[in-house]
């Protein structure tokens, strides 16, 4: 399997960092997980990224305070260095309206936040078994 080297998580809940970090350590030990709790600081970081610092895949919470995941996704897709980077909408609510909107805005994958670590581990294994860098039909539900 081809695992990313750098993963960026944008989520207002620190517990999600712990869970994703644990699952990534289980399946892809060499992954560097970068965590941004605040959407503004995440977008600032991403705007300043260069070829050496850009994340290979972004996990984005759809429901965050102040700046929604929708607005963050719109901003991400305007950044030249992130236009083609896969973005996984990582949310507790996969409402069909959100799914369609996220897909139209350029989300690569849609993943419901699992309730346990083994479920997340399985979803990550599946995600990274795909050609996750070059998805032909965006908005695939994981």
């Amino acid at each position: 399997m081809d695992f990313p080297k750098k993963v960026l998580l944008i989520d207002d809940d620190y517990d999600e960092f712990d869970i994703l970090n644990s699952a990534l350590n289980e399946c892809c030990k060499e992954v560097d997980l970068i965590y941004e709790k605040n959407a503004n600081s995440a977008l600032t970081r991403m705007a300043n990224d260069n070829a050496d610092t850009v994340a290979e895949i972004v996990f984005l919470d759809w429901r965050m305070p102040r700046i929604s995941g929708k607005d963050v996704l719109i901003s991400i897709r305007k950044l030249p260095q992130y236009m083609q980077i896969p973005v996984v909408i990582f949310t507790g609510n996969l409402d069909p309206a959100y799914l369609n909107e996220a897909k139209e805005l350029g989300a690569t994958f849609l993943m419901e936040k699992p309730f346990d670590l083994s479920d997340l581990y399985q979803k990550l294994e599946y995600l990274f078994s795909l050609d996750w860098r070059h998805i032909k039909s965006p908005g695939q539900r994981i």
Side-chain angles (χ1 to χ4, degrees):
M1 258 185 260
D2 181 23
F3 300 116
K5 301 288 184 261
K6 248 181 226 144
V7 173
L8 173 61
L9 170 63
I10 306 169
D11 195 314
D12 60 304
D13 185 353
Y14 187 81
D15 289 340
E16 299 302 333
F17 166 78
D18 283 338
I19 292 166
L20 185 58
N21 194 43
S22 293
L24 284 169
N25 283 332
E26 217 27 62
C27 77
C28 359
K29 306 221 182 295
E30 300 300 317
V31 173
D32 180 20
L33 179 59
I34 303 157
Y35 175 62
E36 288 288 346
K37 184 175 184 159
N38 178 289
N40 279 326
S41 64
L43 290 170
T44 299
R45 168 195 282 264
M46 295 169 82
N48 292 317
D49 277 341
N50 60 43
D52 294 330
T53 59
V54 69
E56 291 179 79
I57 192 166
V58 176
F59 284 78
L60 172 63
D61 186 11
W62 192 248
R63 298 178 68 192
M64 294 188 294
R66 287 179 244 128
I67 301 177
S68 70
K70 172 186 173 179
D71 292 332
V72 174
L73 180 58
I74 290 168
S75 296
I76 288 172
R77 290 303 184 212
K78 291 179 182 175
L79 296 170
Q81 63 273 42
Y82 280 92
M83 290 175 108
Q84 301 301 317
I85 299 296
V87 175
V88 179
I89 299 303
F90 190 59
T91 186
N93 182 2
L94 282 181
D95 179 297
Y98 292 149
L99 296 177
N100 289 332
E101 188 172 34
K103 183 178 178 177
E104 289 172 11
L105 293 172
T108 316
F109 299 102
L110 309 159
M111 181 188 293
E112 190 166 13
K113 289 180 181 177
F115 293 104
D116 65 51
L117 196 56
S118 65
D119 186 29
L120 179 57
Y121 175 76
Q122 290 175 350
K123 287 182 178 188
L124 290 173
E125 276 194 321
Y126 174 71
L127 172 66
F128 296 133
S129 73
L130 303 171
D131 186 10
W132 56 273
R133 293 180 200 203
H134 305 98
I135 292 298
K136 306 290 184 248
S137 55
Q140 182 176 343
R141 188 171 178 174
I142 302 289

